Every structure is written in structure tokens, then in C-alpha cells.
Amino acid sequence: MNRIIEKSLALFITGAGVLGCTPENNEPQRPNILFIFSDDHATHAIGAYGPKHNNPELHKLVQTPHLDRLAQEGMLFTNVFCGNSICGPSRATILTGKHSHLNGMLNNDTIFNGAQQTFPKLLQDGGYETAWIGKWHLFSDPTGFDHWQILDNPGQQGTYYNPILGSPDGEEKVTGHTATIITDRAINWLKSQRDEGKPFFLAYSHKTPHREWVPGPEEYDLYKNTDIPVPTNFYDDYSTRSSALKEQEMEIATHMNEQDLKLTAPGYLNEEQLVQFRDAYDQENSDFKDANLSGNELAEWKYQRYVKDYLRSVTSMDKEIGRMLQYLEESGLAENTIVVYSSDQGFYLGDHGWFDKRWMYEESLRMPLIVRWPDVTPAASTNDAIIQNTDYAATFLDLANITIPGDIQGKSIVPLLKNGSPENWRDVAYYHYYAWPDWHMVQPHYGIRGDRYKLIHFYTTDEWELFDLENDPDEMQNEYLNPDYTDIVKAMTERLEQERIAMSDTVELKATSNYHR
Ligand code: CA
């Protein structure tokens, strides 16, 4: 092929031809971005992530066909880590591209400063139409969005049914299952409310599967006659690790309340929903009370109830995500819309005996990330580069061909999406959890996670942990004092201090919280 023909063909294929340009200016059309965002969704509760070391059978029971399909059509990232595993802080980091100590949102007691630079504002300046629909949980009104509707019940967690939606027009109580309502609102915005002359960024943001895991009406019966396997470290005795592990209040066996366990119905259900709830749980609850369980039997009953409800809620959300993906296809938007799926952090599904998040251990440190970029991401591809939630802002700006400001700490993953092989990529993820005392009583700590080793410093008690993730993926054996690891400890300690300086984390190492018990 001669060069001129080759060049013309390339121009046509890359979009200067028929489909990819706007008629007015013949400029290549910029892609739309649909950011599907969820809350506390652990990677081991997504089928596409495959079996997990301590519970290899679990993934066969997980039912996420639509997220799995997204992974089949795009790129799945296996090493994505948040910098502070709690709702508000992770969200603030995603918006700003900066760790908590720079964006000011150290814990859930803080009100996000919406006057600061965020990627949606930069997208707006760059000609994008922006919207956030669903859970927000940053307490100040969203800024940088042409349209927003957020879950606005007190505390901004939202409720699983009949949520209050807040918007610039005020508050509105809406009847139905919240995952369905958020999807309806998001599709409606795409269909009839946005400015079609602009590319869009839409954050379609679920509250699912945050505590207290109430399924949609059609998912109550899932796993009815199935036993979910217990992770191998469900009865972790926390030996060799920091004293913080014995101090926490997030054990399934002892710290779940009656609402978590569906022994009482949520107060926000209407009559019809209450009947569905009672049909689902009353008989089992009655049998449970008659059985008068104790010890391990009681702990495992709670585990079954919890994990089944968690997975049922995930499936309710996945079904709604499927409806959204179908709308993209039917409307013709799919071909020029990049779909990104992620969650603000991971969660424990009985690993170490826990629910909740906060720790720098793998299950809550990890975020799912799946990206489908039509004609760019190879189908069914995976990438294991170390990515952080600081990278999301840079990535969204890069996808929109907007300059990434120098003060954003993260890096665009667009090169990874294009060829899958990182160049000059980071070698460690940085982490700092602050909230103490707080819900679940997890001591503050900071650390780094590399490909193989993880170093954590609990500074309130000055205890250190080193994990060899290759030999001990479940983080059961602290090697910090093991003489075989002396050189690794030394190298990782130096690397941690370098990274703390590189990330400009000069926050005084003391507990910060307004929490009152
Ligand atoms: Ca969360």
C-alpha cells in the first residue's frame, strides 16, 4: 500500500471520517465517559475477578453477568488500590486526583471543600457536559456538575429503598429500590436532559453494596438453599500482627447489629416492601431463634446471612448496570462512550472474620476497575500495573484530551488502556488511614504496597507489619521481626519514607476524628 492511501485509510479508521467527527468543524469527536461507581464492592464479589486464594469456590456463586460481560469486552485491572479505605476520603481523592492530606478529606467527619480544583470542573471548562447521579457522600453540594441528584438522607449514605434525592431544586422522596431509581434517573438524563451538542461525563453512582445490604425484591431468594463457603482465615486469631487487630470492632461474630442481620426490618420500607422483606426472612429468623446457636455455629449463621445479602445486593445492582449498558446500545451511544466501572474501596467478606473496610490489607485496599473503550481496549484483557484512586482524575481528563494540571498526584492510565504495558510506572501504592476513634475502631496507619511486599506502620502504637504477598497472600504472618526479612524491611522502610515525602504527606502522625461514642 502506498503511503498516501495508507494515511487516508488511517484517518478514516481513526475517526476523521464518517462516524467520529462533528459535522460543523470536522474535528474528531471526543468520547463520552460513563463512570459507573459503587460503594464497598470487593473484587472477590465480581465473577470476572476469578477465584480468591482464601475462598476459591466463592466466585462460582457470585452473579455479576453484566460486569463480567464488561470485562469480556474491555480491560480488567487487578492491582488498583485506594489511598484511604473509607467512603468520603476515597471519593474526594477521585474528584481531585490528590491523596486525603492534600484534598483535606481525611475522614468521614470532614465536609469536602468543593471550591478546590476537581476533574469535573476541568471537564466542564473543556467543553464537557457533566452530571453526578446517585450516592455522593461528601456533605457539601456537588460542584463542577451541570446536573446533579444525590442520595440526601441524613448522613448521605442513602437508603436501599425509598431514598431522598437532593438536587439544586431541593429534596424529593422517591418510592422504589434505590439501585433502580438511580438507574432510571441516569438513563433519563442521558435520554432527555443533557445538552446533546457536547460530549458527556456521567457519574452513575450506586450506594450498593454498602452496609446494610438489602437486596432488590427479585434477589431475596438467591442462595436460599446454598451454603456459601467460609474463607480459610475466618477464624483468624490475629497473632503476630499489630495489637490493633484485636482492638477492632468489625467482626461478623460479634459486631453486627440486628439490622445488618435482617433480624429487624429497616424503618424505610413501605407496606408492600415490608411484606416482601418478611416473606424473605421471617421463617429463617424464627428457625434461627429456636436453634439458640452459640460459638462457631452462631458466627457462621451470621456469615451466611451477611454474605448472602451482600451478594444478593450486588446482583440487584449488576442487573441495573445491565439495563444501563443496554440503553447505551439501543441509543447508539455505546460506540462513542467509554465505560468505567469502579468502587470507592473494597470490603471484607469474612476474610479475617470481618466485614467493613479501613485496613490496608488487600480486601479493603483493592478497588475493582474495568474499562471498556470501544476499538481501543483489547477484549478480555487484564492489566496488573499498580494503580491508585489518585489516577482517576488524570485519566478522565486525558480521555477528554484536556491538559492534566501539574498538581494532580495521579497519572493517566490511558497509555495502559492503549497498549497494556506500563512504562516508568509506579512501583508502590501509598496509603494513609486517619480516622480514630471511629466506627469499627481501626487504629490509624500508613504504608506502601509493592508488587510483592507491603509495609504498614501503626503509629499510635508504633507497631510495624511486613507482609510477603507471594508467600502469604492472606496476610496472616507478619514478617517484620523475622531475621530472614531484615534486608527487605530496611529497603521497604526507606522506600516508605521516600514515598511519604514524594506524596507530600507531612500530616502530623496522630489520630484525627470528631467521633463520639
Ligand atoms: Ca465506601
Side-chain angles (χ1 to χ4, degrees):
M1 201 186 298
N2 78 44
R3 269 194 205 164
I4 295 168
I5 296 173
E6 200 174 308
K7 200 175 170 191
S8 315
L9 191 61
L11 274 173
F12 184 80
I13 292 168
T14 53
V18 181
L19 286 174
C21 66
T22 52
E24 300 81 24
N25 54 17
N26 218 32
E27 289 289 315
Q29 208 177 62
R30 289 185 294 173
N32 304 309
I33 302 166
L34 174 67
F35 179 40
I36 309 175
F37 192 45
S38 68
D39 195 352
D40 297 0
H41 195 184
T43 55
H44 45 320
I46 299 177
Y49 272 89
K52 183 168 180 289
H53 186 266
N54 67 344
N55 201 351
E57 298 301 310
L58 179 71
H59 87 286
K60 293 179 189 164
L61 299 169
V62 170
Q63 295 184 32
T64 52
H66 300 288
L67 288 175
D68 298 349
R69 185 191 126 204
L70 198 65
Q72 277 300 309
E73 296 170 350
M75 190 175 281
L76 178 138
F77 291 86
T78 57
N79 284 317
V80 183
F81 305 112
C82 61
N84 184 359
S85 184
I86 185 168
C87 300
S90 181
R91 288 149 192 270
T93 291
I94 285 172
L95 286 169
T96 59
K98 297 172 186 173
H99 282 294
S100 307
H101 56 273
L102 294 187
N103 67 44
M105 191 99 189
L106 297 181
N107 54 48
N108 272 345
D109 300 324
T110 316
I111 296 170
F112 178 66
N113 171 14
Q116 65 188 300
Q117 171 183 282
T118 60
F119 81 81
K121 292 180 187 173
L122 298 167
L123 287 177
Q124 268 186 326
D125 292 347
Y128 268 67
E129 176 95 337
T130 59
W132 188 290
I133 297 173
K135 181 168 170 179
W136 172 248
H137 199 255
L138 287 163
F139 309 112
S140 52
D141 281 354
T143 54
F145 295 98
D146 297 296
H147 179 94
W148 54 268
Q149 296 180 61
I150 58 171
L151 298 181
D152 213 7
N153 301 69
Q156 291 198 340
Q157 290 294 353
T159 50
Y160 270 91
Y161 284 80
N162 312 331
I164 292 170
L165 291 181
S167 74
D169 300 329
E171 290 197 337
E172 177 188 5
K173 187 152 192 267
V174 189
T175 304
H177 189 247
T178 299
T180 306
I181 291 166
I182 291 169
T183 308
D184 286 343
R185 299 292 170 118
I187 290 176
N188 195 41
W189 182 78
L190 288 172
K191 203 182 266 183
S192 56
Q193 290 176 294
R194 69 192 168 91
D195 177 351
E196 293 194 16
K198 294 178 180 176
F200 68 78
F201 172 90
L202 168 61
Y204 158 52
S205 173
H206 284 280
K207 85 161 254 97
T208 313
H210 190 279
R211 191 182 191 182
E212 70 284 356
W213 325 288
V214 187
E218 288 168 17
E219 283 72 44
Y220 277 128
D221 283 342
L222 278 178
Y223 311 112
K224 217 44 175 181
N225 300 305
T226 308
D227 265 355
I228 309 274
V230 173
T232 53
N233 57 350
F234 184 69
Y235 293 108
D236 190 353
D237 64 2
Y238 313 125
S239 60
T240 81
R241 282 149 290 159
S242 160
S243 59
L245 280 83
K246 290 185 173 161
E247 207 178 337
Q248 47 67 34
E249 295 178 359
M250 54 192 283
E251 288 171 35
I252 291 169
T254 40
H255 300 115
M256 288 200 139
N257 63 36
E258 295 221 325
Q259 284 227 350
D260 294 333
L261 294 166
K262 313 300 180 310
L263 295 169
T264 56
Y268 49 73
L269 298 179
N270 66 24
E271 253 178 68
E272 182 194 349
Q273 293 158 353
L274 192 58
V275 169
Q276 291 166 337
F277 184 94
R278 292 230 159 104
D279 281 351
Y281 297 109
D282 273 6
Q283 184 61 51
E284 282 183 8
N285 289 349
S286 163
D287 295 346
F288 166 68
K289 278 167 191 156
D290 291 347
N292 201 22
L293 303 174
S294 60
N296 291 1
E297 280 187 332
L298 177 60
E300 293 192 25
W301 185 90
K302 291 180 180 179
Y303 169 81
Q304 291 297 329
R305 175 56 62 85
Y306 156 56
V307 173
K308 286 179 183 182
D309 282 338
Y310 183 97
L311 296 180
R312 288 164 179 153
S313 302
V314 164
T315 299
S316 301
M317 175 178 74
D318 182 80
K319 189 170 73 179
E320 292 299 326
I321 291 170
R323 194 155 67 89
M324 170 59 86
L325 295 176
Q326 193 182 346
Y327 173 72
L328 289 186
E329 266 148 48
E330 286 169 2
S331 62
L333 286 170
E335 64 186 277
N336 196 35
T337 300
I338 298 167
V339 179
V340 178
Y341 179 75
S342 193
S343 168
D344 56 358
Q345 63 266 154
F347 216 67
Y348 297 91
L349 304 179
D351 320 274
H352 304 284
W354 294 336
F355 63 106
D356 209 70
K357 54 235 180 192
R358 298 159 196 275
W359 304 98
M360 198 188 158
Y361 305 126
E362 292 293 280
E363 290 83 357
S364 52
L365 179 66
R366 265 180 204 288
M367 304 161 71
L369 179 62
I370 303 171
V371 182
R372 183 182 77 184
W373 186 356
D375 302 325
V376 178
T377 45
S381 53
T382 59
N383 188 299
D384 64 0
I386 292 177
I387 290 167
Q388 290 225 253
N389 51 350
T390 50
D391 297 335
Y392 287 40
T395 301
F396 292 137
L397 293 170
D398 200 11
L399 289 171
N401 200 21
I402 292 168
T403 306
I404 302 162
D407 62 345
I408 282 185
Q409 293 188 297
K411 295 169 74 161
S412 164
I413 66 163
V414 166
L416 310 186
L417 294 168
K418 285 182 171 168
N419 62 25
S421 66
E423 274 175 43
N424 303 320
W425 202 255
R426 71 166 65 77
D427 62 331
V428 293
Y430 186 70
Y431 189 85
H432 195 158
Y433 174 79
Y434 299 87
W436 175 268
D438 200 1
W439 294 92
H440 303 296
M441 304 301 278
V442 172
Q443 287 282 356
H445 54 290
Y446 69 103
I448 48 170
R449 194 247 192 235
D451 278 336
R452 176 166 177 182
Y453 300 106
K454 181 186 290 182
L455 182 71
I456 306 176
H457 185 204
F458 291 88
Y459 48 88
T460 42
T461 55
D462 197 21
E463 291 171 287
W464 292 79
E465 292 178 349
L466 178 86
F467 294 101
D468 181 341
L469 299 169
E470 196 172 293
N471 294 335
D472 176 28
D474 300 329
E475 300 166 290
M476 300 293 285
Q477 183 60 46
N478 177 12
E479 306 288 10
Y480 189 77
L481 296 174
N482 180 345
D484 293 346
Y485 286 86
T486 303
D487 291 347
I488 303 291
V489 165
K490 185 167 180 289
M492 287 293 281
T493 307
E494 286 170 11
R495 187 71 194 80
L496 173 59
E497 197 49 27
Q498 282 168 5
E499 194 62 14
R500 204 160 84 86
I501 293 163
M503 292 297 113
S504 312
D505 184 357
T506 54
V507 172
E508 191 187 349
L509 295 179
K510 64 177 181 124
T512 63
S513 172
N514 299 318
Y515 179 78
H516 298 292
R517 300 236 277 169

